Amino acid sequence: MRDSSELRQYPVPGRRAATVCWALAVLASALPLLAQLSALALVAPLAVLTLGLIAMQMGRPATSATSATSASTSEPALGTPGGTDTPLPKLLHAVLPEWRLQVTTTRTQIDEAMATLLGSLSSITAQFDAGGFHMGDDGGSSRTSAALSQCEDKLQPVIGTMNHIHDSKATMAAHMGQLTTAASELRTLVDDVARIAQQTNLLAINAAIEAARAGEFGRGFAVVAAEVRRLSQDSAATARHITERIGEITDIMAQASASAVHSAEADAQAIAESGEMVKDVLGMVHQLGQDSENMVANARVIRDDIEHLIIGMQFQDRVNQVMGVLDDDMARLGDALKRDSALPDAASWLQSLRATYTMREQRHTGGSATPTSQRPAAQAEPKAVVFF
Amino acid sequence: MAKTILIVDDSSSLRTLVKMSLTRAGYDVIEASDGKVALDQIDKAAKVNLVVCDVNMPNMDGITFVGELKKNPRHKFTPVIMLTTEDDSGRMAQAKAAGARAWLLKPFNPPALLDTVSKVITA
């Protein structure tokens, strides 16, 4: 710490005004940089402290330019009506390490937090990549599509098989109908046989009458006539029997045919319903496939958004650089105050500060004393990569 | 066998980001937080095919690191890409004179980084 008498010699009014100007100039230079960072509310306390400091200096009776020029140079140290005897160099000497500590701590905390965040985000993108959602990787999508396509291929023939079964049953029902028709034709033939038997019976009766008339000579013929009559009666009985059996068979076949027709109708309905179900399932499979495609597309969008987010987070590195320059400048100011109790010249200080700027935004904001319209118009965007 | 890249940057978040881009492309990665640590790391490593290095770092800056690296016959031909927020032509000239092969500006796109890496990395 400096001797208090030493300090008292320094802040004469003229110098006090210069001090204020110097502080304002440095602040003006730093403000744009501070504005860059203020979004993060990192150095707002610094700005407030600096402004408070300036206000404190400005509030003193002899700090105006007029009093600075008119007042005696032999005026003693900064006696302040604000209740503090601390001159600016002493205050800066005390406060600068604190500011630097705060800035450094904040930079470290932000960097660590960003590293953790980036680690998490990169882990998420890695999981997306493992799931086949990386741009240009069709693996996941094509695997799902292939599985769904296989489902469709396996379900599609089921409808064909059911239709084939239905067609077979319809053919069988048609054959049953043909058999019924054939049985009806047989009944007609049997009727013919019955009629022939009846005529034969009449002929046998007539033959028996004629044999009786012939007397003794017709006795043998009478025997033949009786046999013929018996055969015709047997034929008529057989025809009746066949007619009965055909009737029974026709009834059975009619029932079977009706049953087959009914079954075919029921089958047709069942097959139609099954077909609809299979079509519904295929529709759902198709929808599932589309949903899957959409999901893959959406996942890729999310993954790419995260990647862009990660890239965008590099702003923190630039902010860190700007804060680093501020930190270094505060250290430089601290060293200067240690070497010399007098505050350095503002113009040369600013020149030195600006010489450390290495980024476009620093040069732009740092040179804010020059109006935008007067800056060189053609400050080309620097190349993203330069090979040596 | 995967090629090894040394990342030198005082920002751990930037190292994480660069590492993410490079490991996804199949490279092995080792890290260092400044030039001094990097010189130590590269001596311990079996083989480093490329260095991606920041410029403005505490203890030893990137350009000084490249100069020191090139003094070692073992690493004389190890290519170095400067990855930095700085766009000052004077600093670029210093890096070139020190032996760097490329100057890549932050913020960078991972494809641009990978493209630059593939152009200068040694077998």
Side-chain angles (χ1 to χ4, degrees):
Chain A
M1 291 297 287
R2 287 178 190 81
D3 185 275
S4 59
S5 61
E6 223 181 281
L7 291 168
R8 279 195 195 92
Q9 287 168 9
Y10 165 69
V12 294
R15 285 193 171 185
R16 204 177 303 153
T19 301
V20 172
C21 291
W22 178 84
L24 281 172
V26 172
L27 180 68
S29 163
L31 270 180
L33 295 176
L34 294 175
Q36 276 189 312
L37 307 176
S38 63
L40 296 171
L42 300 176
V43 291
L46 286 182
V48 170
L49 277 170
T50 311
L51 284 170
L53 186 65
I54 301 309
M56 185 182 76
Q57 292 287 323
M58 293 290 283
R60 289 173 182 166
T63 51
S64 74
T66 315
S67 62
T69 50
S70 61
S72 161
T73 51
S74 61
E75 183 180 318
L78 281 170
T80 63
T84 172
D85 289 330
T86 310
L88 184 56
K90 190 176 177 184
L91 179 65
L92 287 176
H93 189 69
V95 170
L96 277 175
E98 187 73 19
W99 288 356
R100 291 194 63 208
L101 179 67
Q102 294 295 331
V103 169
T104 307
T105 307
T106 309
R107 287 173 70 193
T108 308
Q109 284 177 345
I110 290 177
D111 194 44
E112 285 171 357
M114 290 293 275
T116 307
L117 188 60
L118 283 170
S120 301
L121 289 175
S122 63
S123 165
I124 292 171
T125 53
Q127 284 179 25
F128 271 117
D129 291 350
F133 297 118
H134 187 256
M135 196 56 86
D137 180 357
D138 247 3
S141 166
S142 60
R143 276 197 300 274
T144 311
S145 293
L148 294 173
S149 180
Q150 274 189 340
C151 288
E152 199 167 343
D153 290 349
K154 285 188 185 299
L155 281 173
Q156 199 73 50
V158 172
I159 298 178
T161 305
M162 287 195 293
N163 281 331
H164 183 66
I165 293 168
H166 174 254
D167 291 346
S168 299
K169 286 206 169 185
T171 305
M172 193 176 73
H175 288 164
M176 294 286 280
Q178 286 173 349
L179 277 176
T180 307
T181 306
S184 297
E185 289 172 2
L186 276 179
R187 191 195 293 266
T188 307
L189 291 173
V190 172
D191 286 347
D192 287 345
V193 170
R195 197 174 66 252
I196 292 166
Q198 191 182 12
Q199 293 292 329
T200 307
N201 187 41
L202 283 174
L203 281 174
I205 290 169
N206 286 331
I209 292 167
E210 292 302 319
R213 276 189 193 159
E216 191 61 28
F217 294 104
R219 186 168 291 169
F221 189 67
V223 171
V224 172
E227 283 300 312
V228 168
R229 193 183 172 200
R230 196 175 59 80
L231 283 173
S232 71
Q233 285 172 343
D234 285 352
S235 295
T238 300
R240 275 198 309 278
H241 190 62
I242 289 171
T243 302
E244 285 169 9
R245 296 296 292 167
I246 286 174
E248 287 170 11
I249 289 169
T250 304
D251 287 348
I252 292 168
M253 283 201 302
Q255 283 175 11
S257 181
S259 176
V261 168
H262 179 72
S263 170
E265 286 172 357
D267 285 353
Q269 193 178 349
I271 287 168
E273 287 173 0
S274 301
E276 286 301 314
M277 281 186 213
V278 170
K279 276 182 188 166
D280 286 350
V281 170
L282 284 176
M284 285 188 269
V285 166
H286 192 64
Q287 184 62 46
L288 199 64
Q290 283 193 332
D291 289 349
S292 169
E293 294 287 338
N294 290 340
M295 194 181 74
V296 170
N298 288 337
R300 282 185 183 151
V301 169
I302 293 170
R303 187 210 166 281
D304 289 347
D305 281 351
I306 292 174
E307 191 158 272
H308 286 133
L309 191 67
I310 291 170
I311 294 165
M313 283 180 175
Q314 290 178 68
F315 84 93
Q316 180 261 337
D317 190 57
R318 299 183 80 85
V319 169
N320 196 34
Q321 298 279 356
V322 174
M323 291 176 76
V325 168
L326 282 182
D327 188 33
D328 291 347
D329 204 50
M330 283 190 279
R332 187 162 70 98
L333 181 57
D335 290 344
L337 290 173
K338 270 184 202 165
R339 284 196 306 272
D340 182 5
S341 59
L343 285 173
D345 172 61
S348 62
W349 187 273
L350 276 177
Q351 197 178 5
S352 305
L353 173 61
R354 286 174 184 162
T356 64
Y357 293 167
T358 53
M359 293 191 294
R360 277 163 65 83
E361 53 262 54
Q362 285 177 314
R363 286 192 288 270
H364 281 184
T365 53
S368 60
T370 310
T372 312
S373 57
Q374 291 174 25
R375 282 181 210 156
Q379 258 199 327
E381 190 74 23
K383 278 187 177 179
V385 59
V386 176
F387 291 96
F388 301 138
Chain B
M1 190 178 159
K3 291 178 178 175
T4 301
I5 297 177
L6 170 64
I7 303 170
V8 192
D9 200 308
D10 56 324
S11 163
S12 58
S13 60
L14 242 295
R15 288 201 305 273
T16 305
L17 180 58
V18 176
K19 185 178 179 179
M20 184 188 78
S21 304
L22 294 177
T23 50
R24 187 180 296 160
Y27 295 109
D28 283 339
V29 165
I30 52 178
E31 301 177 46
S33 58
D34 62 49
K36 276 190 177 170
V37 178
L39 287 174
D40 191 42
Q41 289 274 49
I42 204 165
D43 272 336
K44 285 181 189 167
K47 167 82 178 168
V48 171
N49 302 86
L50 174 81
V51 181
V52 176
C53 183
D54 188 17
V55 170
N56 184 16
M57 292 181 293
N59 301 325
M60 184 188 285
D61 69 77
I63 293 170
T64 310
F65 161 73
V66 178
E68 292 296 317
L69 185 74
K70 297 295 173 180
K71 284 181 192 167
N72 185 335
R74 191 178 159 221
H75 307 302
K76 195 177 177 184
F77 298 106
T78 305
V80 181
I81 297 171
M82 308 310 294
L83 178 63
T84 174
T85 56
E86 299 189 19
D87 54 24
D88 184 76
S89 56
R91 297 286 272 168
M92 278 191 210
Q94 287 174 4
K96 183 181 178 181
R101 291 287 307 280
W103 185 279
L104 185 62
L105 267 187
K106 296 177 188 170
F108 68 94
N109 281 318
L113 172 69
L114 293 176
D115 183 53
T116 311
V117 165
S118 66
K119 280 178 181 162
V120 302
I121 197 165
T122 53

